[in-house]
Coordinates of all heavy atoms in Angstrom, one line a residue:
M116 N -10.0 -16.4 -9.5 CA -9.4 -15.4 -10.3 C -9.1 -14.1 -9.5 O -10.0 -13.7 -8.8 CB -10.3 -15.1 -11.5 CG -9.7 -14.1 -12.4 SD -10.7 -13.9 -13.9 CE -9.5 -13.5 -15.0
V117 N -7.9 -13.6 -9.6 CA -7.6 -12.4 -8.9 C -8.1 -11.2 -9.7 O -7.9 -11.0 -10.9 CB -6.0 -12.3 -8.8 CG1 -5.6 -11.0 -8.1 CG2 -5.5 -13.5 -8.0
K118 N -8.8 -10.3 -9.0 CA -9.3 -9.0 -9.6 C -8.1 -8.1 -9.7 O -7.2 -8.1 -8.9 CB -10.4 -8.4 -8.7 CG -11.6 -9.2 -8.6 CD -12.6 -8.4 -7.8 CE -13.5 -9.3 -7.0 NZ -14.4 -8.6 -6.1
S119 N -8.1 -7.2 -10.7 CA -7.0 -6.3 -10.9 C -6.8 -5.4 -9.7 O -5.6 -5.0 -9.5 CB -7.2 -5.4 -12.2 OG -8.4 -4.6 -12.0
E120 N -7.8 -5.0 -8.9 CA -7.6 -4.2 -7.8 C -6.9 -4.9 -6.6 O -6.5 -4.3 -5.6 CB -8.8 -3.4 -7.3 CG -9.8 -4.3 -6.6 CD -11.1 -4.6 -7.4 OE1 -11.1 -4.4 -8.7 OE2 -12.0 -5.2 -6.8
D121 N -6.9 -6.2 -6.7 CA -6.3 -7.1 -5.7 C -4.9 -7.6 -6.0 O -4.4 -8.4 -5.3 CB -7.2 -8.3 -5.4 CG -8.6 -7.9 -4.9 OD1 -8.7 -6.8 -4.2 OD2 -9.6 -8.6 -5.1
C122 N -4.3 -7.0 -7.0 CA -3.0 -7.4 -7.4 C -2.2 -6.1 -7.9 O -2.8 -5.1 -8.1 CB -3.0 -8.5 -8.4 SG -3.8 -8.1 -10.0
W123 N -0.9 -6.3 -8.1 CA -0.1 -5.2 -8.7 C 0.8 -5.8 -9.7 O 1.0 -7.0 -9.8 CB 0.6 -4.4 -7.6 CG 1.7 -5.2 -6.9 CD1 1.6 -6.2 -6.0 CD2 3.1 -4.9 -6.9 NE1 2.8 -6.6 -5.6 CE2 3.8 -5.8 -6.1 CE3 3.9 -3.9 -7.6 CZ2 5.1 -5.8 -5.9 CZ3 5.3 -4.0 -7.4 CH2 5.9 -4.9 -6.6
D124 N 1.4 -4.9 -10.6 CA 2.1 -5.4 -11.8 C 3.5 -5.9 -11.5 O 4.2 -6.4 -12.3 CB 2.2 -4.3 -12.8 CG 3.0 -3.1 -12.5 OD1 3.7 -3.1 -11.4 OD2 2.9 -2.1 -13.2
G125 N 4.0 -5.8 -10.2 CA 5.3 -6.3 -9.9 C 6.4 -5.4 -10.2 O 7.6 -5.7 -10.0
V126 N 6.1 -4.3 -10.9 CA 7.1 -3.4 -11.4 C 6.9 -2.0 -10.7 O 7.8 -1.4 -10.1 CB 7.1 -3.2 -12.9 CG1 8.1 -2.2 -13.4 CG2 7.4 -4.6 -13.5
N127 N 5.7 -1.4 -10.9 CA 5.4 -0.1 -10.5 C 4.5 -0.2 -9.2 O 3.3 -0.1 -9.3 CB 4.7 0.7 -11.6 CG 4.5 2.1 -11.1 OD1 4.8 2.6 -10.1 ND2 3.8 2.9 -12.0
S128 N 5.1 -0.4 -8.1 CA 4.4 -0.5 -6.8 C 3.6 0.7 -6.5 O 2.6 0.7 -5.8 CB 5.3 -0.9 -5.7 OG 6.3 0.0 -5.5
M129 N 4.0 1.9 -7.0 CA 3.3 3.1 -6.7 C 2.0 3.2 -7.4 O 1.1 4.0 -7.1 CB 4.2 4.4 -7.0 CG 5.3 4.5 -6.0 SD 6.2 6.0 -6.2 CE 6.9 5.9 -7.9
A130 N 1.8 2.4 -8.4 CA 0.5 2.4 -9.2 C -0.5 1.5 -8.5 O -1.7 1.6 -8.9 CB 0.8 1.9 -10.6
Y131 N -0.2 0.7 -7.5 CA -1.2 -0.1 -6.8 C -2.2 0.8 -6.1 O -1.8 1.7 -5.3 CB -0.5 -1.0 -5.8 CG -1.5 -1.8 -5.0 CD1 -2.3 -2.8 -5.6 CD2 -1.7 -1.5 -3.7 CE1 -3.2 -3.5 -4.8 CE2 -2.7 -2.2 -2.9 CZ -3.4 -3.2 -3.5 OH -4.4 -3.8 -2.8
S132 N -3.5 0.5 -6.4 CA -4.5 1.3 -5.8 C -5.7 0.4 -5.3 O -6.8 0.9 -5.2 CB -5.1 2.4 -6.8 OG -5.6 1.7 -7.9
G133 N -5.3 -0.8 -4.9 CA -6.3 -1.7 -4.4 C -6.7 -1.4 -2.9 O -6.3 -0.4 -2.3
K134 N -7.4 -2.4 -2.4 CA -8.0 -2.1 -1.0 C -7.5 -3.1 0.0 O -8.1 -3.3 1.1 CB -9.5 -2.2 -1.1 CG -10.0 -1.0 -1.9 CD -11.5 -0.9 -1.9 CE -12.0 0.3 -2.7 NZ -13.4 0.4 -2.7
V135 N -6.3 -3.7 -0.2 CA -5.7 -4.6 0.8 C -5.3 -3.7 2.0 O -4.6 -2.7 1.7 CB -4.5 -5.4 0.3 CG1 -3.8 -6.1 1.4 CG2 -5.0 -6.3 -0.8
A136 N -5.7 -4.0 3.2 CA -5.4 -3.2 4.4 C -4.8 -3.9 5.5 O -5.0 -3.6 6.7 CB -6.7 -2.5 4.8
V137 N -4.1 -5.0 5.2 CA -3.4 -5.8 6.2 C -2.0 -6.1 5.6 O -1.9 -6.3 4.4 CB -4.2 -7.1 6.6 CG1 -5.5 -6.8 7.3 CG2 -4.4 -8.0 5.4
T138 N -1.1 -6.3 6.5 CA 0.3 -6.6 6.1 C 0.4 -8.1 5.8 O -0.5 -8.9 6.0 CB 1.3 -6.3 7.2 OG1 1.0 -7.1 8.4 CG2 1.1 -4.8 7.6
A139 N 1.6 -8.5 5.4 CA 1.8 -9.9 5.0 C 1.6 -10.8 6.2 O 1.2 -12.0 6.1 CB 3.3 -10.0 4.5
S140 N 1.9 -10.3 7.4 CA 1.7 -11.2 8.6 C 0.3 -11.0 9.2 O 0.0 -11.5 10.3 CB 2.8 -10.9 9.7 OG 2.6 -9.5 10.1
G141 N -0.6 -10.2 8.6 CA -2.0 -10.1 9.0 C -2.2 -8.9 10.0 O -3.3 -8.9 10.6
I142 N -1.3 -8.0 10.1 CA -1.5 -6.8 11.0 C -2.3 -5.8 10.2 O -2.0 -5.5 9.1 CB -0.2 -6.2 11.4 CG1 0.7 -7.3 12.1 CG2 -0.4 -5.0 12.3 CD1 2.1 -6.8 12.4
E143 N -3.3 -5.2 10.9 CA -4.1 -4.2 10.3 C -3.2 -2.9 10.0 O -2.4 -2.5 10.8 CB -5.2 -3.8 11.3 CG -6.1 -2.7 10.7 CD -7.2 -2.2 11.7 OE1 -7.3 -2.8 12.8 OE2 -7.9 -1.3 11.4
C144 N -3.5 -2.3 8.9 CA -2.8 -1.1 8.5 C -3.3 0.1 9.2 O -4.5 0.2 9.4 CB -2.8 -0.9 7.0 SG -2.0 -2.1 6.0
Q145 N -2.4 1.0 9.5 CA -2.8 2.3 10.1 C -3.3 3.3 9.0 O -2.7 3.2 7.9 CB -1.6 2.9 10.8 CG -1.7 4.4 11.3 CD -0.5 4.9 11.9 OE1 0.2 4.2 12.6 NE2 -0.1 6.1 11.6
A146 N -4.3 4.1 9.2 CA -4.8 5.0 8.2 C -3.7 6.1 7.9 O -3.0 6.5 8.9 CB -6.0 5.7 8.7
W147 N -3.5 6.4 6.7 CA -2.5 7.3 6.3 C -2.7 8.7 6.8 O -1.8 9.5 7.0 CB -2.4 7.4 4.7 CG -1.9 6.1 4.2 CD1 -2.6 5.1 3.6 CD2 -0.5 5.7 4.1 NE1 -1.8 4.1 3.2 CE2 -0.5 4.5 3.4 CE3 0.7 6.3 4.4 CZ2 0.7 3.8 3.2 CZ3 1.9 5.6 4.2 CH2 1.9 4.4 3.5
S148 N -4.0 9.0 7.2 CA -4.3 10.3 7.7 C -4.1 10.5 9.2 O -4.2 11.5 9.8 CB -5.8 10.7 7.4 OG -6.6 9.7 8.0
M149 N -3.7 9.4 9.8 CA -3.5 9.3 11.3 C -2.0 9.3 11.7 O -1.2 8.8 10.9 CB -4.2 8.1 11.9 CG -5.7 8.1 11.6 SD -6.7 9.5 12.2 CE -6.5 9.2 13.9
D150 N -1.7 9.8 12.8 CA -0.3 9.7 13.4 C -0.3 8.8 14.6 O 0.6 8.9 15.4 CB 0.2 11.1 13.7 CG 0.8 11.8 12.5 OD1 1.4 11.1 11.7 OD2 0.6 13.0 12.4
E151 N -1.3 7.9 14.8 CA -1.3 7.0 15.9 C -1.6 5.6 15.3 O -2.4 5.4 14.4 CB -2.5 7.3 16.8 CG -2.3 8.7 17.5 CD -1.4 8.6 18.7 OE1 -1.2 7.5 19.3 OE2 -0.8 9.7 19.0
P152 N -0.8 4.6 15.7 CA 0.2 4.6 16.7 C 1.6 5.1 16.3 O 2.5 5.3 17.1 CB 0.3 3.2 17.2 CG -0.1 2.4 16.0 CD -1.1 3.2 15.3
H153 N 1.7 5.3 15.0 CA 3.0 5.7 14.5 C 3.0 7.1 13.8 O 2.2 7.3 12.8 CB 3.6 4.7 13.5 CG 3.7 3.3 14.0 ND1 4.6 2.9 15.0 CD2 2.9 2.2 13.8 CE1 4.4 1.7 15.3 NE2 3.3 1.2 14.6
S154 N 3.7 8.0 14.3 CA 3.8 9.3 13.7 C 4.6 9.2 12.4 O 5.6 8.5 12.3 CB 4.5 10.3 14.6 OG 4.6 11.6 14.1
H155 N 4.2 10.0 11.3 CA 4.9 10.0 10.0 C 4.6 11.2 9.3 O 3.7 12.0 9.7 CB 4.4 8.7 9.2 CG 3.0 8.7 8.9 ND1 2.4 9.4 7.9 CD2 1.9 8.1 9.6 CE1 1.1 9.2 7.8 NE2 0.8 8.4 8.9
G156 N 5.3 11.5 8.3 CA 5.1 12.7 7.5 C 4.5 12.5 6.1 O 4.8 13.2 5.2
C157 N 3.7 11.5 6.0 CA 3.1 11.0 4.7 C 1.7 11.5 4.5 O 0.9 10.8 3.9 CB 3.2 9.5 4.6 SG 4.8 8.8 4.9
H158 N 1.4 12.7 4.9 CA 0.0 13.2 4.8 C -0.2 14.0 3.5 O -1.4 14.2 3.1 CB -0.3 14.1 6.0 CG -0.2 13.4 7.3 ND1 -1.1 12.5 7.7 CD2 0.8 13.6 8.3 CE1 -0.7 12.1 8.9 NE2 0.4 12.7 9.3
D159 N 0.8 14.4 2.9 CA 0.7 15.3 1.7 C 0.0 14.5 0.5 O 0.5 13.4 0.2 CB 2.1 15.7 1.2 CG 2.0 16.8 0.2 OD1 1.0 16.9 -0.6 OD2 3.0 17.6 0.1
P160 N -1.1 15.0 -0.1 CA -1.7 14.3 -1.1 C -0.8 14.0 -2.3 O -1.1 13.1 -3.1 CB -2.8 15.3 -1.6 CG -3.1 16.1 -0.3 CD -1.7 16.3 0.3
V161 N 0.3 14.7 -2.5 CA 1.2 14.4 -3.6 C 1.8 13.0 -3.5 O 2.2 12.4 -4.4 CB 2.3 15.5 -3.7 CG1 3.3 15.3 -2.6 CG2 2.9 15.4 -5.1
N162 N 1.7 12.5 -2.3 CA 2.2 11.1 -2.0 C 1.3 10.0 -2.5 O 1.7 8.9 -2.6 CB 2.5 10.9 -0.5 CG 3.5 11.7 0.0 OD1 4.5 12.0 -0.6 ND2 3.4 12.2 1.3
F163 N 0.1 10.4 -2.9 CA -0.9 9.4 -3.3 C -1.5 9.8 -4.7 O -2.6 10.2 -4.8 CB -2.1 9.4 -2.3 CG -1.6 9.1 -0.9 CD1 -1.2 10.1 0.0 CD2 -1.4 7.8 -0.5 CE1 -0.7 9.8 1.3 CE2 -1.0 7.5 0.8 CZ -0.6 8.5 1.7
P164 N -0.7 9.7 -5.7 CA -1.1 10.2 -7.0 C -2.3 9.5 -7.6 O -3.1 10.1 -8.3 CB 0.1 9.9 -7.9 CG 0.9 8.8 -7.2 CD 0.6 9.1 -5.7
H165 N -2.6 8.3 -7.3 CA -3.7 7.6 -7.8 C -5.0 7.7 -6.9 O -6.0 7.4 -7.3 CB -3.4 6.1 -8.0 CG -2.7 5.5 -6.8 ND1 -1.3 5.6 -6.7 CD2 -3.2 4.8 -5.7 CE1 -1.0 5.0 -5.5 NE2 -2.1 4.5 -5.0
D166 N -4.8 8.2 -5.7 CA -5.9 8.4 -4.7 C -6.4 9.8 -4.6 O -7.5 10.0 -4.3 CB -5.5 7.9 -3.3 CG -5.3 6.4 -3.3 OD1 -6.1 5.6 -3.8 OD2 -4.2 6.0 -2.8
G167 N -5.5 10.7 -4.8 CA -5.8 12.1 -4.7 C -5.6 12.7 -3.4 O -5.5 13.9 -3.2
S168 N -5.6 11.9 -2.3 CA -5.4 12.4 -1.0 C -5.1 11.3 0.0 O -5.4 10.1 -0.3 CB -6.6 13.2 -0.5 OG -7.6 12.3 -0.1
D169 N -4.5 11.6 1.1 CA -4.2 10.6 2.1 C -5.5 10.0 2.6 O -5.6 8.8 3.0 CB -3.3 11.1 3.2 CG -3.9 12.3 3.9 OD1 -4.7 13.0 3.4 OD2 -3.5 12.5 5.1
V170 N -6.6 10.8 2.7 CA -7.9 10.3 3.2 C -8.4 9.3 2.2 O -8.9 8.2 2.7 CB -8.9 11.5 3.3 CG1 -10.3 11.0 3.7 CG2 -8.4 12.5 4.4
A171 N -8.3 9.5 0.9 CA -8.8 8.5 -0.1 C -8.0 7.2 0.1 O -8.6 6.1 -0.2 CB -8.6 9.1 -1.5
A172 N -6.7 7.3 0.4 CA -5.9 6.1 0.6 C -6.3 5.3 1.8 O -6.0 4.1 1.9 CB -4.4 6.4 0.6
Q173 N -7.0 5.9 2.7 CA -7.5 5.3 4.0 C -6.4 4.5 4.6 O -5.3 5.1 4.9 CB -8.7 4.4 3.7 CG -9.9 5.3 3.1 CD -11.1 4.5 2.9 OE1 -11.4 3.5 3.7 NE2 -11.9 4.8 1.9
N174 N -6.6 3.2 4.9 CA -5.5 2.4 5.5 C -5.0 1.4 4.5 O -4.5 0.3 5.0 CB -5.9 1.8 6.8 CG -7.0 0.8 6.7 OD1 -7.8 0.8 5.8 ND2 -7.0 -0.2 7.6
Y175 N -5.2 1.6 3.3 CA -4.8 0.6 2.3 C -3.3 0.6 2.1 O -2.6 1.6 2.2 CB -5.5 0.9 0.9 CG -7.0 1.0 1.0 CD1 -7.7 2.0 0.3 CD2 -7.7 0.1 1.8 CE1 -9.0 2.1 0.4 CE2 -9.1 0.1 1.8 CZ -9.7 1.1 1.2 OH -11.1 1.2 1.2
C176 N -2.8 -0.5 1.7 CA -1.3 -0.7 1.4 C -1.0 0.2 0.2 O -1.8 0.2 -0.8 CB -1.0 -2.2 1.1 SG -1.4 -3.3 2.5
R177 N 0.1 0.9 0.3 CA 0.6 1.7 -0.8 C 2.1 1.7 -0.8 O 2.7 1.3 0.1 CB 0.1 3.2 -0.6 CG -1.4 3.3 -0.7 CD -1.9 3.2 -2.1 NE -3.3 3.4 -2.3 CZ -4.2 2.4 -2.3 NH1 -3.9 1.2 -2.1 NH2 -5.5 2.7 -2.4
D178 N 2.7 2.2 -1.9 CA 4.1 2.5 -1.9 C 4.2 4.0 -2.4 O 4.1 4.3 -3.5 CB 4.9 1.6 -2.9 CG 6.4 1.8 -2.7 OD1 6.8 2.5 -1.7 OD2 7.2 1.4 -3.6
I179 N 4.2 4.8 -1.4 CA 4.1 6.3 -1.7 C 5.4 6.8 -2.3 O 6.4 6.2 -2.1 CB 3.7 7.1 -0.4 CG1 4.8 6.9 0.7 CG2 2.3 6.6 0.1 CD1 4.6 7.8 1.8
I180 N 5.3 7.9 -2.9 CA 6.4 8.6 -3.6 C 7.6 8.8 -2.7 O 8.8 8.5 -3.1 CB 6.0 9.9 -4.2 CG1 5.0 9.7 -5.4 CG2 7.2 10.7 -4.7 CD1 4.3 10.9 -5.9
L181 N 7.4 9.1 -1.4 CA 8.5 9.4 -0.6 C 9.4 8.2 -0.2 O 10.5 8.2 0.1 CB 8.1 10.0 0.8 CG 7.5 11.4 0.7 CD1 7.0 11.9 2.0 CD2 8.6 12.4 0.2
S182 N 8.7 7.0 -0.2 CA 9.4 5.8 0.3 C 10.2 5.0 -0.8 O 11.3 4.6 -0.6 CB 8.4 4.9 0.9 OG 7.6 4.2 -0.1
L183 N 9.6 4.8 -2.0 CA 10.2 4.0 -3.0 C 10.7 2.7 -2.5 O 11.7 2.2 -2.9 CB 11.3 4.8 -3.7 CG 10.9 6.2 -4.3 CD1 12.1 6.9 -4.8 CD2 9.9 6.0 -5.4
E184 N 9.9 2.0 -1.7 CA 10.3 0.7 -1.1 C 10.3 -0.3 -2.2 O 11.1 -1.3 -2.1 CB 9.3 0.3 0.0 CG 9.3 1.1 1.2 CD 10.6 1.1 2.0 OE1 11.4 0.1 1.8 OE2 10.9 2.0 2.8
G185 N 9.5 -0.2 -3.2 CA 9.5 -1.2 -4.3 C 8.4 -2.2 -4.2 O 8.3 -3.1 -5.0
F186 N 7.5 -2.1 -3.2 CA 6.4 -3.0 -3.0 C 5.4 -2.2 -2.1 O 5.7 -1.3 -1.4 CB 6.8 -4.3 -2.3 CG 7.6 -4.1 -1.1 CD1 7.0 -3.9 0.2 CD2 9.0 -4.1 -1.1 CE1 7.8 -3.7 1.3 CE2 9.8 -4.0 0.0 CZ 9.2 -3.7 1.2
P187 N 4.1 -2.6 -2.2 CA 3.1 -2.0 -1.4 C 3.3 -2.3 0.1 O 3.7 -3.5 0.4 CB 1.8 -2.6 -1.9 CG 2.1 -3.0 -3.3 CD 3.5 -3.5 -3.3
W188 N 3.1 -1.4 0.9 CA 3.4 -1.5 2.4 C 2.4 -0.6 3.1 O 1.7 0.2 2.5 CB 4.8 -1.2 2.7 CG 5.2 0.2 2.4 CD1 5.6 0.7 1.2 CD2 5.2 1.3 3.3 NE1 5.9 2.1 1.3 CE2 5.6 2.5 2.6 CE3 4.9 1.5 4.7 CZ2 5.7 3.7 3.2 CZ3 5.0 2.7 5.2 CH2 5.4 3.8 4.5
C189 N 2.5 -0.6 4.5 CA 1.7 0.3 5.3 C 2.3 0.4 6.7 O 3.1 -0.4 7.1 CB 0.3 0.0 5.4 SG 0.0 -1.6 6.3
Y190 N 2.0 1.5 7.4 CA 2.3 1.6 8.8 C 1.3 0.7 9.5 O 0.2 0.5 8.9 CB 2.2 3.1 9.3 CG 3.2 4.0 8.7 CD1 2.9 4.9 7.8 CD2 4.5 3.9 9.2 CE1 3.9 5.7 7.2 CE2 5.5 4.7 8.7 CZ 5.2 5.7 7.7 OH 6.2 6.5 7.2
T191 N 1.7 0.1 10.6 CA 0.8 -0.9 11.2 C 0.1 -0.3 12.5 O 0.5 0.6 13.0 CB 1.5 -2.2 11.5 OG1 2.3 -1.9 12.7 CG2 2.4 -2.6 10.4
M192 N -0.9 -1.1 12.9 CA -1.6 -0.8 14.1 C -1.0 -1.6 15.3 O -1.6 -1.8 16.3 CB -3.1 -1.1 14.0 CG -3.8 -0.2 13.0 SD -3.7 1.6 13.5 CE -4.8 1.6 14.9
S193 N 0.3 -2.0 15.2 CA 0.9 -2.8 16.2 C 2.2 -2.1 16.6 O 2.5 -1.0 16.1 CB 1.2 -4.2 15.7 OG 2.3 -4.2 14.8
N194 N 3.1 -2.8 17.4 CA 4.4 -2.2 17.7 C 5.3 -2.1 16.5 O 6.2 -1.3 16.5 CB 5.0 -3.1 18.8 CG 4.3 -3.0 20.1 OD1 3.5 -2.0 20.4 ND2 4.5 -3.9 21.0
R195 N 5.1 -2.9 15.5 CA 5.9 -2.9 14.3 C 5.5 -1.6 13.5 O 4.4 -1.4 13.2 CB 5.7 -4.1 13.5 CG 6.5 -4.2 12.2 CD 6.4 -5.5 11.5 NE 7.1 -6.5 12.3 CZ 7.0 -7.8 12.0 NH1 6.3 -8.2 11.0 NH2 7.7 -8.6 12.7
R196 N 6.5 -0.8 13.2 CA 6.2 0.5 12.6 C 5.6 0.3 11.2 O 4.6 1.0 10.9 CB 7.5 1.3 12.5 CG 7.3 2.7 11.9 CD 8.5 3.6 12.1 NE 8.4 4.8 11.3 CZ 7.7 5.9 11.7 NH1 6.9 5.9 12.7 NH2 7.7 7.0 10.9
W197 N 6.2 -0.5 10.4 CA 5.7 -0.7 9.0 C 6.0 -2.1 8.6 O 6.9 -2.8 9.1 CB 6.2 0.3 8.0 CG 7.7 0.2 7.7 CD1 8.7 0.7 8.4 CD2 8.2 -0.6 6.6 NE1 9.9 0.3 7.8 CE2 9.6 -0.5 6.7 CE3 7.7 -1.3 5.6 CZ2 10.5 -1.1 5.8 CZ3 8.5 -2.0 4.7 CH2 9.9 -1.8 4.8
E198 N 5.2 -2.6 7.6 CA 5.5 -3.9 7.0 C 4.9 -3.9 5.6 O 4.0 -3.2 5.3 CB 4.8 -5.0 7.9 CG 5.1 -6.4 7.5 CD 4.4 -7.4 8.4 OE1 4.5 -7.2 9.6 OE2 3.9 -8.4 7.9
G199 N 5.5 -4.8 4.8 CA 5.1 -5.0 3.5 C 3.8 -5.8 3.5 O 3.4 -6.5 4.4
C200 N 3.0 -5.6 2.4 CA 1.7 -6.3 2.2 C 1.9 -7.4 1.2 O 2.6 -7.3 0.2 CB 0.7 -5.3 1.8 SG 0.5 -4.0 2.9
D201 N 1.2 -8.5 1.5 CA 1.3 -9.7 0.6 C 0.2 -9.6 -0.5 O -0.9 -10.0 -0.3 CB 1.1 -11.0 1.4 CG 1.3 -12.2 0.6 OD1 1.9 -12.1 -0.5 OD2 0.8 -13.3 1.0
I202 N 0.5 -8.9 -1.6 CA -0.4 -8.6 -2.6 C 0.1 -9.4 -3.9 O 1.3 -9.1 -4.3 CB -0.5 -7.1 -2.9 CG1 -1.1 -6.4 -1.6 CG2 -1.5 -6.9 -4.1 CD1 -1.0 -4.9 -1.7
P203 N -0.7 -10.2 -4.5 CA -0.2 -11.0 -5.6 C 0.1 -10.1 -6.8 O -0.4 -9.0 -7.0 CB -1.3 -12.0 -5.9 CG -2.5 -11.4 -5.3 CD -2.0 -10.6 -4.1
I204 N 1.0 -10.6 -7.7 CA 1.3 -9.9 -8.9 C 0.4 -10.3 -10.0 O 0.0 -11.5 -10.1 CB 2.8 -10.2 -9.3 CG1 3.8 -9.6 -8.3 CG2 3.1 -9.6 -10.7 CD1 5.2 -9.9 -8.5
C205 N -0.2 -9.3 -10.7 CA -1.1 -9.6 -11.8 C -0.3 -10.1 -13.0 O 0.8 -9.6 -13.3 CB -1.8 -8.3 -12.2 SG -2.7 -7.5 -10.9
F206 N -0.9 -11.0 -13.7 CA -0.3 -11.5 -14.9 C -1.2 -11.2 -16.1 O -2.4 -11.4 -16.1 CB -0.1 -13.0 -14.9 CG 0.9 -13.4 -13.9 CD1 0.6 -13.8 -12.6 CD2 2.3 -13.3 -14.2 CE1 1.6 -14.1 -11.7 CE2 3.3 -13.6 -13.3 CZ 2.9 -14.1 -12.0
S207 N -0.7 -10.6 -17.1 CA -1.4 -10.2 -18.3 C -1.7 -11.4 -19.1 O -0.9 -12.4 -19.2 CB -0.5 -9.2 -19.1 OG -1.1 -9.1 -20.4
K208 N -2.9 -11.5 -19.8 CA -3.2 -12.6 -20.6 C -2.3 -12.8 -21.8 O -2.0 -13.9 -22.3 CB -4.6 -12.4 -21.2 CG -5.7 -12.5 -20.2 CD -7.1 -12.3 -20.9 CE -8.2 -12.5 -19.8 NZ -9.5 -12.4 -20.4
S209 N -1.6 -11.7 -22.1 CA -0.6 -11.8 -23.3 C 0.6 -12.6 -22.9 O 1.3 -13.1 -23.8 CB -0.2 -10.4 -23.7 OG 0.5 -9.7 -22.6
F210 N 0.8 -12.8 -21.6 CA 2.0 -13.6 -21.2 C 1.6 -15.1 -20.9 O 2.4 -15.9 -20.6 CB 2.6 -13.0 -19.9 CG 3.2 -11.7 -20.2 CD1 2.7 -10.6 -19.6 CD2 4.3 -11.5 -21.0 CE1 3.2 -9.3 -19.8 CE2 4.9 -10.3 -21.3 CZ 4.3 -9.2 -20.7
Q211 N 0.3 -15.4 -21.0 CA -0.1 -16.8 -20.7 C -0.1 -17.6 -22.0 O -0.3 -17.1 -23.1 CB -1.5 -16.7 -20.2 CG -1.6 -16.1 -18.8 CD -3.1 -16.0 -18.3 OE1 -4.0 -16.3 -19.0 NE2 -3.2 -15.5 -17.1
N212 N 0.2 -18.9 -21.9 CA 0.1 -19.8 -23.1 C -1.3 -20.2 -23.4 O -2.1 -20.4 -22.6 CB 1.0 -21.0 -22.8 CG 2.5 -20.6 -22.8 OD1 2.9 -19.7 -23.5 ND2 3.2 -21.3 -22.0

């Protein structure tokens, strides 16, 4: 069974606040508070409404306000600047038969 923090609703990716910290291809995510290996301007706590700060978001997959990618993602610890994260979509019991 998938725990709610390990999935997202498939609609509001900015609401995802789980602890997945690897991309779909298995690359470790870069901490949002760091600019290494990829420099970025995503340090403002307003970008992390559910976490309260970039430090709270750690290196977890997110879809921050500035990006609006439409799915949780992160900057990576590899040559690839960013990548989406493979996080399952949660299904409500009300939609199950």
